[in-house]
Amino acid sequence: MAMVWEQGELFAKASKEEIKQTEFYLGKYKMMTLFMFDYENYEREMAQVAIDGEAARRIDQTDLHADKTANATILNEKQKWVYNQYCKFTFMIRRAHSQIIDPEAKEAIDIRFLQGYSRKETILFMRRGVAHSTVDRRIDDGIESIANTLKVMGFFEEIRREF
């Protein structure tokens, strides 16, 4: 993996764009884990629904006569590819989360993104007497820390390569 760092830079610092991407993927973390759980536990049922249901027929709306079995296979392969991508992304996010040094920022990120609670619920779960702005600052610090770690791990290069 080719990482672009400046000369003499020991610790990579994520750009504003990479921090925004990190926040986007953190926001999708809970959805990714739910899909992974569903795929792991109900893969056979998902494949059967693709064959029996209308999803396979609707892969390409321009087809007048769709081959449902072939389309179901394509849909199943796409689900498998998405599952593998989600496994990779969630693993890297969990690793980056484990590298957050500040325990309050780590807790805020865990509640807000990994457990999937809203901003308001995150504020309620944090210690009593902590101001809203303090919780927001901890979330921002946690996102930046995760973004910096993901940069070192090559996460953003992986995304650019895949998409």
Side-chain angles (χ1 to χ4, degrees):
M1 281 182 248
M3 290 189 228
V4 182
W5 291 355
E6 302 206 11
Q7 185 175 1
E9 185 177 7
L10 183 58
F11 301 104
K13 187 146 177 70
S15 67
K16 290 183 187 219
E17 165 96 18
E18 291 167 335
I19 292 171
K20 284 183 181 181
Q21 283 182 327
T22 301
E23 187 172 6
F24 171 79
Y25 282 102
L26 282 169
K28 298 293 182 188
Y29 180 85
K30 188 67 176 176
M31 184 265 316
M32 289 190 284
T33 57
L34 290 172
F35 176 83
M36 289 166 41
F37 175 82
D38 201 43
Y39 186 82
E40 289 167 356
N41 292 301
Y42 303 105
E43 180 181 1
R44 191 175 322 138
E45 289 85 351
M46 289 171 76
Q48 190 61 43
V49 167
I51 293 169
D52 294 342
E54 292 295 313
R57 184 171 289 153
R58 299 179 191 272
I59 284 182
D60 188 359
Q61 294 295 332
T62 60
D63 287 342
L64 297 176
H65 304 287
D67 183 358
K68 210 169 165 184
T69 306
N71 287 350
T73 303
I74 292 169
L75 185 62
N76 193 18
E77 287 299 315
K78 182 178 179 184
Q79 289 172 340
K80 185 177 181 180
W81 179 82
V82 168
Y83 170 78
N84 288 328
Q85 294 301 309
Y86 285 0
C87 285
K88 195 180 330 177
F89 292 165
T90 56
F91 173 76
M92 292 174 96
I93 289 170
R94 281 193 309 274
R95 288 288 313 266
H97 175 261
S98 73
Q99 299 296 313
I100 297 174
I101 295 171
D102 180 11
E104 286 90 12
K106 185 183 251 183
E107 180 185 20
I109 292 293
D110 180 57
I111 294 168
R112 174 70 180 95
F113 296 110
L114 302 188
Q115 294 182 37
Y117 288 104
S118 69
R119 177 186 172 273
K120 181 179 180 180
E121 291 168 325
T122 303
I123 291 167
L124 293 174
F125 278 121
M126 297 300 285
R127 283 189 216 105
R128 196 172 202 139
V130 176
H132 303 287
S133 59
T134 303
V135 174
D136 289 338
R137 192 172 46 255
R138 288 176 180 162
I139 289 172
D140 290 342
D141 290 346
I143 291 170
E144 186 175 346
S145 174
I146 288 177
N148 291 336
T149 303
L150 290 175
K151 184 172 182 89
V152 172
M153 295 169 81
F155 180 81
F156 303 110
E157 287 79 13
E158 180 74 21
I159 290 172
R160 284 187 209 100
R161 188 170 53 84
E162 289 292 332
F163 305 108

